[in-house]
Amino acid sequence: MAPARRRRSPLEVWGPGLIVMLADTDAGCLITAAESGAQWGYTMVLPQLVLIPILFMVQEITVRLGVVTRKGHGQLIRDHFGGRWAWVSAGTLVLSAVGALLTEFAGIAGVGELFGVSRWITVPVVTIALVVVAMLGSYRRVERIGIVVGLGQLAFLPAMLLAHPDWGDLATHFAALPLGDHAYLYLLAANVGAVIMPWMIFYQQTAVIDKGLTVRDLGRERRDTAFGSVLTQGVMIVVVITLAATVWRGGAGASAHLGTVGDIAGALVPFLGDAPARVLVGLAILGGALVAAIVVSLAGSWGIADVLGWKHSLNGGVDRGNRRFFTVYALTHVVGAVIVLSSVDLVQLAVDVEVMNALLLPIVLGFLLVLERRALPPEHRMRGPYRWVVTGLALVVIAFSLYSVPGALGLLG
């Protein structure tokens, strides 16, 4: 009789949810949150809280799809909808991943320049390091490295404490949402797009497979995802409060130009001091950018490999079977680095990328909801009130994404 399978410890299961959530709070998201706090103060705190359950519900579906079907997101779409729709899905992934990767490299370049290091040094060095990390021959090793560097974004917590927020002011403005203002609506759309992104779905669904998780691990991986959802949105709230307590409260929100990482740190200098502002902002954005660069490029490469039917596991390193996958992974970094070595307005790029993600949500969430019904056996599908809550929230997000950008641009009157 075969011995019973050893029950995994939580530390052996946790990881895919945490790393994808740390990547969710990437350079673009942190900068979008900073711009939101500087421009609109505490009115951007409530939307971040509302997005926590939505984020968890979306990623929890990807966990079930991965551990139950043992197939990546792109492969499931190809199996159930055909090759054309698989390419449509891959298109949303590529758009989202390329946009995100550009913001990560721009953020890394900005952090280097904050300390007087040229982007012509930081970007090539980081590009080489990120390519080497994926070739270490173990998904678990890549995951651990990503989580460690991603925790750097928690540096915004001491920054918030040093900013001495007015909690009474936060309570006053907490529910004051100026939804009739096009500029607010545009940034709100960017914040929604900063939370649910196509590459997150592709990444976590394949990551749970590459890590070897099974249906027995489903409950603990859900808790991993829930913890990550609270953590990532907690970081966003901390960033919003930090900028609201400084730039916005100081009356400079409307006129503040946050075009670079240095501009964000500079805006905080009068409130935090020069060294604390540069170190804390630099560490937070660098941590978010590095973990996201790993996750985004892996998600894009995994998704393309799924659609094309290539082998794409990180375990075992580079071999004849998966060298095409690793080639795509390396090329995404090289192309992103080359583009970012030209001058870019980081804040505008970050906000525009997140708004683009919001526009892609109808396709992404639509596929996810239908796959949950088609690809999973009945015992692993959503049931009862939970199904209606998840479906209802997804439809609300889809409706908002279809309305928000045209509304923000003034196209709806």
Side-chain angles (χ1 to χ4, degrees):
M1 182 175 178
R5 182 177 180 269
R6 182 179 66 85
R7 183 175 174 82
R8 298 174 193 259
S9 70
L11 291 179
E12 290 179 289
V13 174
W14 279 39
L18 182 55
I19 190 174
V20 80
M21 296 303 179
L22 288 172
D24 187 29
T25 323
D26 65 352
C29 295
L30 292 175
I31 291 162
T32 298
E35 183 80 348
S36 300
Q39 295 289 333
W40 294 100
Y42 300 114
T43 62
M44 280 292 185
V45 173
L46 178 58
Q48 305 296 346
L49 285 171
V50 171
L51 288 167
I52 293 175
I54 298 174
L55 174 59
F56 166 74
M57 291 172 181
V58 168
Q59 292 302 123
E60 188 272 338
I61 295 175
T62 72
V63 170
R64 280 187 287 120
L65 287 171
V67 299
V68 174
T69 68
R70 314 301 299 167
K71 295 179 179 180
H73 198 67
Q75 185 179 349
L76 277 184
I77 292 175
R78 186 183 63 195
D79 290 349
H80 289 272
F81 299 96
R84 290 184 180 179
W85 283 112
W87 279 110
V88 170
S89 178
T92 67
L93 171 64
V94 169
L95 284 173
S96 175
V98 168
L101 200 57
L102 290 180
T103 66
E104 313 320 337
F105 277 112
I108 291 165
V111 171
E113 290 168 350
L114 186 61
F115 295 95
V117 181
S118 169
R119 66 177 58 197
W120 291 93
I121 296 176
T122 55
V123 172
V125 168
V126 168
T127 300
I128 294 171
L130 290 172
V131 171
V132 170
V133 162
M135 298 181 179
L136 295 177
S138 167
Y139 167 79
R140 291 175 183 270
R141 193 172 295 125
V142 173
E143 180 182 86
R144 292 187 188 116
I145 292 171
I147 290 174
V148 169
V149 299
L151 290 174
Q153 60 195 257
L154 296 179
F156 256 112
L157 182 57
M160 182 191 75
L161 297 176
L162 289 171
H164 303 293
D166 185 334
W167 303 111
D169 205 15
L170 187 153
T172 300
H173 293 88
F174 183 72
L177 307 180
L179 297 176
D181 190 299
H182 293 160
Y184 180 84
L185 198 61
Y186 192 77
L187 263 183
L188 184 58
N191 279 277
V192 172
V195 171
I196 304 170
M197 293 177 265
W199 51 262
M200 295 176 63
I201 293 169
F202 278 83
Y203 179 88
Q204 192 168 1
Q205 189 164 328
T206 303
V208 296
I209 301 169
D210 229 20
K211 191 164 185 175
L213 303 188
T214 68
V215 173
R216 288 167 57 95
D217 304 310
L218 190 53
R220 279 164 291 177
E221 183 53 26
R222 282 185 178 128
R223 289 189 284 276
D224 173 33
T225 303
F227 178 80
S229 301
V230 174
L231 178 63
T232 186
Q233 287 306 101
V235 171
M236 292 287 280
I237 290 169
V238 165
V239 176
V240 170
I241 292 176
T242 302
L243 273 294
T246 52
V247 178
W248 179 76
R249 188 174 64 182
S255 59
H257 176 63
L258 305 180
T260 66
V261 175
D263 290 339
I264 296 173
L268 294 176
V269 166
F271 308 94
L272 308 184
D274 180 63
R278 287 192 297 130
V279 171
L280 294 176
V281 170
L283 183 60
I285 291 181
L286 183 63
L290 286 174
V291 65
I294 295 171
V295 170
V296 167
S297 52
L298 278 176
S301 304
W302 274 337
I304 291 172
D306 267 343
V307 172
L308 294 174
W310 296 347
K311 179 183 174 184
H312 53 72
S313 176
L314 291 180
N315 298 313
V318 184
D319 57 35
R320 289 176 61 88
N322 63 15
R323 62 187 178 188
R324 291 176 296 183
F325 157 72
F326 280 105
T327 299
V328 172
Y329 174 84
L331 284 176
T332 58
H333 286 295
V334 172
V335 171
V338 169
I339 294 174
V340 169
L341 284 174
S342 61
S343 181
V344 293
D345 182 336
L346 177 54
V347 169
Q348 190 57 51
L349 172 65
V351 173
D352 289 346
V353 167
E354 308 311 349
V355 171
M356 178 191 69
N357 285 331
L359 285 174
L360 295 175
L361 281 178
I363 299 173
V364 175
L365 293 182
F367 274 131
L368 194 65
L369 289 174
V370 177
L371 281 175
E372 192 274 341
R373 194 65 176 174
R374 287 190 181 183
L376 291 176
E379 64 270 23
H380 290 294
R381 295 175 190 163
M382 297 183 293
R383 294 187 295 273
Y386 184 73
R387 166 173 290 281
W388 292 108
V389 170
V390 173
T391 303
L393 287 175
L395 292 176
V396 168
V397 172
I398 289 172
F400 176 77
S401 68
L402 291 174
Y403 167 80
S404 60
V405 175
L409 296 176
L411 301 179
L412 298 180

